[in-house]
Amino acid sequence: MTNTDYKNPQLLADSTQTASTGSFNWRSPSNLAIVKYWGKHGVQLPRNPSISFTLENAFTQTLLEYAPKTDHNENIELEFLFHKEENEPFRQKLLKFLESITDIFPFLRQFKLKIRSGNSFPHSAGIASSASAMSAVSLCLCSMEDELFGTLQDDTEFDRKASYVARLGSGSASRSIYGGMAVWGKIGAVAGSSDLYAVPYADRMHDAFKSFHDDILIVSKSEKSVSSTAGHALMEDNIYAAPRFQQAGQRMQRLLGAIQAGDVETFGEIAENEALTLHAMMMASNPSYMLMESNTIEMIKRIRAYRAETKEPVYFSLDAGPNIHLLYPEEIIHNVSPFIDSELLPLCQEGMIVRDWVGEGPEQV
Ligand code: DP6
């Protein structure tokens, strides 16, 4: 059974419950898409399927506390702290998200909510945090539902709902619910896949990918000039959009095969081309924009030169920003580390790097 709606007017607490308090604490990671989600329609539905590595060290930790309301109003009462400080823009964003999902979680109007959140990575590292932030909140909300109503006892159902809700907050967040790798978007090759939530792909991953590193080389810490949400919207009038969505589907097919077979070379070829295609779409948008910096390009050249010279499987990817994600298997870390130190770190802003690898997925703490 797959409930693909999750609207449930029955999830209202009774008077004993509304007098109670509780709290949940989830740590949820960021993820790096190998085939990228870029372009959406309807209510947060992807134009093409995507697949990502779940990370380990780049995470958001979120504590949700609920307590009785002091007066009976229908508003969502939300207090929000980010890194122990009030942050009104983030609070407003979160409030808007919670308002948008009250038909899924009607009980949110019945309590006073306090959410405290923080990221493991430096606030200004220019790392996209919507995936980790939105998945962490969604997991807390599902825990709250389960505590009040006992409706999400089944782990698979819990994760699916958390992924569905996370998707409504930020598309890429749907994939952060699962460790290893996750697929979001309907594709024939993955049974049970859906545009509405992500599904786990860890079981089908060849050992060759299980210890993959993803070091994030911080080229620039500045806030990006065009948000991902705005970037997705620009795909609608991009004349390359249709072939791009088709290409993503075909690449998914090839990549899934490579991931199962342990074909690291095909994986790397697709990862790099996807990253560049994403940025090509930005440059071909109207208005056109560019998020890569000169040091992004310089690093790409150095990574390719290093690979040509050493024949080692070292590849790059990019998110919607200038930072380089360096992908390589654990076995070659002793060769890659000196290369990073001598050739790439000098191109990073203040020598900043976030060392990360494929992670186990969210954890309740
Ligand atoms: C380039 O998930 O941040 O990282 O759904 O509008 O919140 P919204 O966008 P978001 O877009 C992520 C784009 C990407 C590729 C990817 O993660 O698949």
Side-chain angles (χ1 to χ4, degrees):
M1 195 284 304
T2 300
N3 181 349
T4 51
D5 186 347
Y6 289 119
K7 285 187 187 138
N8 188 350
Q10 286 173 347
L11 295 179
L12 280 172
D14 63 28
S15 54
T16 29
Q17 286 170 323
T18 52
S20 65
T21 60
S23 70
F24 311 96
N25 197 348
W26 277 93
R27 172 187 281 201
S28 189
S30 184
N31 67 74
L32 171 79
I34 306 301
V35 168
K36 310 284 186 185
Y37 146 59
W38 198 243
K40 58 177 163 179
H41 65 105
V43 184
Q44 290 280 99
L45 299 170
R47 288 284 185 195
N48 63 262
S50 58
I51 183 166
S52 54
F53 270 148
T54 303
L55 300 180
E56 179 69 22
N57 290 332
F59 61 83
T60 299
Q61 188 160 333
T62 297
L63 173 71
L64 164 71
E65 294 171 292
Y66 67 88
K69 271 189 166 179
T70 37
D71 62 65
H72 292 283
N73 60 55
E74 282 289 289
N75 304 332
I76 292 188
E77 275 185 35
L78 174 67
E79 202 183 310
F80 178 73
L81 297 180
F82 183 68
H83 286 271
K84 301 200 168 103
E85 282 176 23
E86 283 181 10
N87 184 319
E88 191 52 22
F90 282 11
R91 193 188 81 87
Q92 286 298 339
K93 213 176 149 191
L94 192 54
L95 190 60
K96 209 171 137 200
F97 172 55
L98 297 179
E99 294 280 5
S100 76
I101 53 173
T102 47
D103 45 4
I104 298 175
F105 300 121
F107 56 87
L108 290 178
R109 295 193 188 281
Q110 297 182 290
F111 295 92
K112 202 156 84 181
L113 305 172
K114 183 168 177 182
I115 295 180
R116 280 183 258 180
S117 198
N119 295 336
S120 62
F121 39 92
H123 177 39
S124 58
I127 299 178
S129 55
S130 68
S132 54
M134 287 303 175
S135 55
V137 170
S138 302
L139 288 158
C140 287
L141 296 175
C142 286
S143 287
M144 184 170 171
E145 174 189 321
D146 194 41
E147 171 143 308
L148 291 171
F149 309 100
T151 35
L152 293 171
Q153 293 286 300
D154 180 74
D155 286 350
T156 307
E157 183 50 34
F158 183 101
D159 288 349
R160 183 175 295 154
K161 185 160 187 178
S163 178
Y164 179 102
V165 173
R167 176 198 114 235
L168 296 174
S170 178
S172 55
S174 65
R175 297 183 308 240
S176 278
I177 301 299
Y178 299 102
M181 295 192 99
V183 169
W184 172 40
K186 182 130 192 74
I187 176 160
V190 182
S193 59
S194 169
D195 285 355
L196 301 172
Y197 42 77
V199 293
Y201 204 72
D203 288 356
R204 306 189 53 190
M205 256 167 102
H206 189 278
D207 283 350
F209 297 102
K210 290 189 178 153
S211 70
F212 246 71
H213 282 248
D214 177 352
D215 291 340
I216 311 168
L217 298 146
I218 311 297
V219 171
S220 167
K221 303 197 290 183
S222 348
E223 188 117 342
K224 43 187 182 201
S225 51
V226 180
S227 72
S228 285
T229 304
H232 286 290
L234 287 171
M235 280 303 274
E236 291 308 297
D237 294 323
N238 189 317
I239 62 156
Y240 300 109
R244 157 61 196 157
F245 300 142
Q246 194 185 2
Q247 173 192 55
Q250 288 163 352
R251 280 183 173 161
M252 279 294 283
Q253 299 286 0
R254 264 186 85 211
L255 181 61
L256 294 172
I259 288 168
Q260 288 179 45
D263 179 351
V264 174
E265 209 172 311
T266 300
F267 165 89
E269 176 208 314
I270 293 175
E272 292 195 349
N273 208 302
E274 272 294 300
L276 295 176
T277 304
L278 168 71
H279 286 258
M281 288 300 123
M282 296 172 186
M283 289 187 257
S285 292
N286 186 14
S288 160
Y289 67 108
M290 205 187 285
L291 297 181
M292 288 190 287
E293 305 271 346
S294 353
N295 280 353
T296 313
I297 312 263
E298 184 55 32
M299 282 198 209
I300 290 174
K301 288 184 180 166
R302 291 185 186 186
I303 293 162
R304 286 181 163 170
Y306 176 82
R307 188 167 68 236
E309 194 184 294
T310 63
K311 309 280 179 270
E312 284 172 10
V314 182
Y315 304 96
F316 68 84
S317 183
L318 300 162
D319 257 334
N323 302 327
I324 292 274
H325 287 249
L326 194 70
L327 305 170
Y328 57 93
E330 166 77 19
E331 299 89 84
I332 58 168
I333 192 166
H334 296 297
N335 298 339
V336 179
S337 282
F339 162 65
I340 294 175
D341 292 347
S342 64
E343 305 250 3
L344 303 182
L345 276 189
L347 299 171
C348 293
Q349 186 167 11
E350 293 159 25
M352 204 156 135
I353 178 170
V354 174
R355 292 181 204 272
D356 214 337
W357 48 83
V358 176
E360 304 275 313
E363 201 190 334
Q364 193 163 13
V365 283

